[in-house]
Amino acid sequence: MSDAVALAPRAARLNLGGWWVAPPLAVLALLFLYPLILIGRAALIDDSGALNLAAAWGVLNSRAFLNALINTAEIALASTIGCVILGLTLGLILAFAPFPGAGLVAQVIDTFIALPTFLVTLAFTFLYGSAGILNGALTSGLGLDHPPVDFLYSAWGVILAEVTVYTPFVLRPLLAAFSLVDRSQIEVASLLGARPLRIVRQVILPAALPAIVAGGSLCLLLTVNEFGIVLFIGAKGVITLPLLIYSKAIQESDYQGACAIAIVNVALSLALFSLYRAAARRLGG
Amino acid sequence: MTVSAALRGAEVSAAANAAAGSEVAFDKVSVAYRGSVVLKPLTMSVAAGEILAMIGPSGSGKTTALRAVAGFVRPAAGRILIGGTDVTNLPPYERGLAMVVQNYALFPHMRVSENVAFGLNARGAARDLIAQRVEDSLRIVGMSKFASRFPRELSGGQQQRVAIARALAVRPRVLLLDEPLSALDAQIRRSMVEEIARLHADLPDLTILYVTHDQSEALTLADRIAILKDGELSAIGAAGELYRRPPNRFAAEFLGRANLLPVVVERVAQQSGFVEARLGETRVVASGADHPAGAERLLCVRPQNLTLTCEAERSNRIEAVLREIHWQGELTHLVAEIGESILRVVATRLPNPPARGDKLEFFFSPSDANLIVEDGSV
Ligand SMILES: Nc1ncnc2c1ncn2[C@@H]1O[C@H](COP(=O)(O)OP(=O)(O)OP(=O)(O)O)[C@@H](O)[C@H]1O
Ligand SMILES: [Mg+2]
């Protein structure tokens, strides 16, 4: 009786012979791979339908592309560093120096993951925009004729918004890692003479390193591809790769250029994604 | 150079510690977690260089008392003094102590030598001194060969040795041990107990607070034993004395097995330090003082102190009916009935084993029996 039960699943597998994976794989390919191939193909073919590597190369050699690449890298890096610093600070406080209501705060921060990214940007406009609350208070309070706070319409505005939106993506794995740190290690360390900063540096951070790398690389991945926030802030001269692709494709109808840039963007994303996977694997194992 | 000489060599904290003294005093220390009191006002002191074992059932507050000394919990009231100085408001890192816990708590990403060096680094010791101390400490616990391993590459017993080396490396005034051996199997545990005893012989100034569940560990290691019950000190005293003359039922039963038979005090015996009491119809003499005539007390006799043959003229004699007899190799366990009570006897030699239902005479010396109170704390 028990033999039959034990054998049943194996028999079922043998009968299907592995072919069951074919249909889902086909759907996956259709959904994900095919568009990528189309984009790759479009990047190499001009409006007339002929192979035109020179045009693609020209786009990738242009000042606009280079600027966008640099902007993207700078903003993504700065935002990620901001997210990691803020996430670490918040995480350390929430996990190791909790105050009444800390759990609620962690949950509220967590909920930010669920919100659309541009919502925060919209709120920022109300707060720090030229007609926002802060500037309104300052102009009437100090009797100025120009709104004094204008950082929002610059790369700094984008970075601030991205840090706000993406910090939970760092915080969440960090809190998970912190909760696994053995409290008696911390206590033993402090009795041996280590002050809190040394304990953070030598006991807590090494244990949380995989989580920091995982959260940071996820953050980097998301900020490299961020579109909504950059578009919403609409700062002059702050053009990132996704924004450049959008303006090439939609505004200039230059599909080949858009696709060529998209290929670079995809390659960048995949590289960051493998970094994230590697870190996540270390975190899991 | 002997190990102890090496330990007393030139060092950062030892001189300061010696000056500061290493006796620990609890002065009406109470601890509460979210309003519920888990340690009732505790007053006791541990002399410099003494090993005090704290035992008691699970949840009795042993760890809590230790954590209060370490500074991990703030007492709700009372003071903790180390070397005569009030440390109640000092953070753990300024107390000059070290601790070894049940799960070792080694730093997993540091090698053995780095683990041992951790405290010295934290205390800002010079590099040469650190190297010297790490070497000495690892040698003391016999782990020199493993200096460059990671904790996960060691067995439980080896990890615990490293944890002890890490604690000793900072030359603490007081070493706090919270069930350090309970994760190890019985055989290793016994040899580790011997090693800790040897270690203390080499470090005679080190005060040790040793929390354990295991009464034999406590009896082997400790100069004195404190028994906690429900967050309260139930008994404290020199290990042997506490075993021979427990002050109350809880202490008697927690430190080994005891027969506790209800008696009524008759009068103080002619010989000082002894009293006469009535056990049913039988008159017995037991050690004890300050028991008023007519008081109800418990007669406490350890099972191995009861014999089937009269060995001295003054021995007490009681009659009991044998209910069970279990032969266990070297020892024979007898269970007999005396009135309403059960009498347990452990015999080493029994030339003519009695049979169930036999009416037997048991003997015990007055100095092996004492009168105790049912309940009471110190
Ligand atoms: N952090 C805490 N919060 C609330 N209650 C606690 C906390 N730590 C301990 N207690 C309670 O305090 C009491 C004493 O705990 P303690 O750890 O001192 O017992 P123990 O004697 O060490 O027990 P064991 O032998 O099981 O280790 C227990 O009832 C326990 O539930
Ligand atoms: Mg405990």
Side-chain angles (χ1 to χ4, degrees):
Chain A
M1 178 62 208
S2 62
D3 279 353
V5 172
L7 283 175
R10 219 185 299 162
R13 253 191 216 177
L14 276 178
N15 288 347
L16 273 175
W19 285 104
W20 64 273
V21 294
L25 273 187
V27 173
L28 281 181
L30 194 69
L31 280 176
F32 295 101
L33 230 44
Y34 185 57
L36 276 183
I37 292 168
L38 280 186
I39 290 173
R41 192 169 155 268
L44 305 176
I45 286 171
D46 65 14
D47 290 345
S48 62
L51 187 70
N52 188 346
L53 291 178
W57 184 241
V59 172
L60 297 186
N61 238 344
S62 69
R63 192 75 240 158
F65 169 76
L66 215 63
N67 278 343
L69 189 62
I70 291 168
N71 270 340
T72 308
E74 278 178 355
I75 290 175
L77 263 179
S79 302
T80 302
I81 290 169
C83 288
V84 168
I85 290 173
L86 188 62
L88 266 179
T89 315
L90 285 173
L92 286 170
I93 293 171
L94 291 173
F96 298 108
F99 45 90
L104 187 71
V105 171
Q107 273 176 21
V108 168
I109 295 175
D110 230 24
T111 337
F112 266 66
I113 292 182
L115 300 181
T117 59
F118 59 82
L119 206 74
V120 173
T121 325
L122 206 58
F124 271 28
T125 323
F126 290 139
L127 280 173
Y128 313 116
S130 44
I133 296 170
L134 183 63
N135 272 318
L138 286 177
T139 30
S140 60
L142 304 175
L144 308 170
D145 14 327
H146 290 297
V149 178
D150 66 347
F151 74 90
L152 190 60
Y153 305 108
S154 69
W156 291 113
V158 176
I159 290 167
L160 186 68
E162 290 189 350
V163 167
T164 312
V165 170
Y166 291 118
T167 296
F169 289 80
V170 180
L171 188 59
R172 190 183 266 215
L174 265 183
L175 285 177
F178 286 164
S179 73
L180 295 179
V181 175
D182 181 5
R183 300 290 138 143
S184 53
Q185 278 175 27
I186 295 173
E187 291 179 348
V188 164
S190 81
L191 208 55
L192 285 171
R195 280 151 203 275
L197 259 181
R198 180 182 289 269
I199 294 177
V200 167
R201 252 188 9 248
Q202 298 192 343
V203 180
I204 297 175
L205 287 191
L209 196 63
I212 297 171
V213 176
S217 50
L218 180 62
C219 222
L220 205 57
L221 179 69
L222 292 169
T223 48
V224 159
N225 291 325
E226 181 56 44
F227 177 66
I229 290 176
V230 190
L231 188 73
F232 247 79
I233 298 248
K236 218 181 262 141
V238 182
I239 306 290
T240 58
L241 286 181
L243 219 61
L244 189 63
I245 296 169
Y246 170 76
S247 66
K248 281 254 187 266
I250 307 301
Q251 287 160 0
E252 300 171 25
S253 295
D254 173 6
Y255 287 105
Q256 188 185 8
C259 288
I261 300 165
I263 291 297
V264 174
N265 203 341
V266 167
L268 201 59
S269 303
L270 286 179
L272 290 172
F273 185 68
S274 356
L275 183 67
Y276 166 70
R277 290 297 306 174
R281 241 198 325 277
R282 272 205 60 190
L283 185 65
Chain B
M1 190 162 67
T2 66
V3 165
S4 40
L7 289 172
R8 293 194 210 95
E11 39 214 29
V12 176
S13 48
N17 288 348
S22 64
E23 72 268 19
V24 179
F26 293 79
D27 178 19
K28 302 194 204 75
V29 176
S30 65
V31 176
Y33 287 115
R34 270 173 256 107
S36 71
V37 177
V38 298
L39 192 66
K40 292 170 195 155
L42 171 67
T43 300
M44 66 175 188
S45 58
V46 193
E50 185 179 33
I51 302 184
L52 178 90
M54 287 198 271
I55 65 173
S58 190
S60 56
K62 308 180 293 291
T63 298
T64 304
L66 214 59
R67 292 171 62 80
V69 177
F72 302 147
V73 282
R74 176 174 285 269
R79 300 182 309 156
I80 289 175
L81 297 100
I82 299 175
T85 320
D86 187 347
V87 299
T88 319
N89 295 313
L90 282 188
Y93 52 83
E94 284 176 7
R95 294 193 179 197
L97 314 176
M99 186 165 185
V100 176
V101 295
Q102 183 177 356
N103 69 352
Y104 325 130
L106 294 177
F107 307 125
H109 49 274
M110 293 182 201
R111 293 176 189 281
V112 164
S113 55
E114 293 165 331
N115 264 283
V116 177
F118 181 89
L120 294 161
N121 277 316
R123 293 178 189 199
R127 190 179 292 186
D128 310 353
L129 179 73
I130 295 179
Q132 184 60 46
R133 283 275 189 85
V134 169
E135 200 186 310
D136 287 349
S137 309
L138 284 177
R139 194 177 60 236
I140 292 172
V141 299
M143 289 295 291
S144 305
K145 278 191 303 205
F146 301 91
S148 58
R149 293 238 189 136
F150 282 100
R152 62 170 178 276
E153 298 166 340
L154 301 175
S155 75
Q158 292 168 335
Q159 290 187 44
Q160 196 56 297
R161 282 160 212 260
V162 175
I164 292 172
R166 177 177 64 179
L168 291 178
V170 297
R171 300 288 181 275
R173 302 198 260 175
V174 180
L175 181 60
L176 308 173
L177 299 159
D178 192 357
E179 308 201 23
L181 309 181
S182 58
L184 304 173
D185 63 43
Q187 209 174 342
I188 300 177
R189 192 156 50 204
R190 261 196 304 279
S191 72
M192 288 293 290
V193 167
E194 284 161 19
E195 278 186 43
I196 294 175
R198 188 171 48 71
L199 200 84
H200 189 251
D202 277 336
L203 297 167
D205 299 331
L206 181 66
T207 307
I208 297 182
L209 262 76
Y210 190 102
V211 165
T212 176
H213 263 118
D214 185 323
Q215 41 127 334
S216 75
E217 263 173 44
L219 287 168
T220 313
L221 272 179
D223 299 312
R224 286 193 305 150
I225 295 177
I227 303 177
L228 272 79
K229 180 197 178 192
D230 300 332
E232 213 167 355
L233 190 60
S234 171
I236 183 167
E241 183 61 17
L242 204 59
Y243 181 78
R244 272 192 301 277
R245 305 197 197 296
N248 51 45
R249 174 189 278 273
F250 190 75
E253 290 182 330
F254 206 82
L255 271 186
R257 298 185 108 184
N259 291 297
L260 297 169
L261 308 169
V263 295
V264 178
V265 177
E266 296 231 297
R267 63 190 178 94
V268 173
Q270 291 92 338
Q271 222 186 336
S272 72
F274 290 92
V275 288
E276 281 179 28
R278 210 160 21 91
L279 169 66
E281 296 307 309
T282 321
R283 181 150 303 160
V284 293
V285 179
S287 53
D290 305 333
H291 296 290
E296 294 187 348
R297 291 290 184 265
L298 295 168
L299 176 74
C300 171
V301 196
R302 299 282 178 193
Q304 71 275 21
N305 290 332
L306 285 156
T307 54
L308 277 165
T309 49
C310 183
E311 285 167 352
E313 202 182 319
R314 291 195 308 106
S315 282
N316 292 296
R317 190 183 56 135
I318 51 178
E319 285 185 354
V321 179
L322 188 65
R323 286 283 165 245
E324 293 168 40
I325 175 163
H326 304 285
W327 179 72
Q328 291 182 353
E330 294 143 51
L331 301 174
T332 308
H333 292 253
L334 308 173
V335 181
E337 218 172 61
I338 176 167
E340 305 271 281
S341 314
I342 292 290
L343 193 69
R344 288 171 199 284
V345 179
V346 176
T348 42
R349 283 176 300 120
L350 269 189
N352 312 308
R356 277 208 226 161
D358 285 0
K359 199 165 201 180
L360 299 175
E361 287 186 324
F362 292 100
F363 300 89
F364 59 92
S365 152
S367 54
D368 284 336
N370 61 315
L371 294 194
I372 65 176
V373 294
E374 173 73 36
D375 244 325
S377 55
V378 287

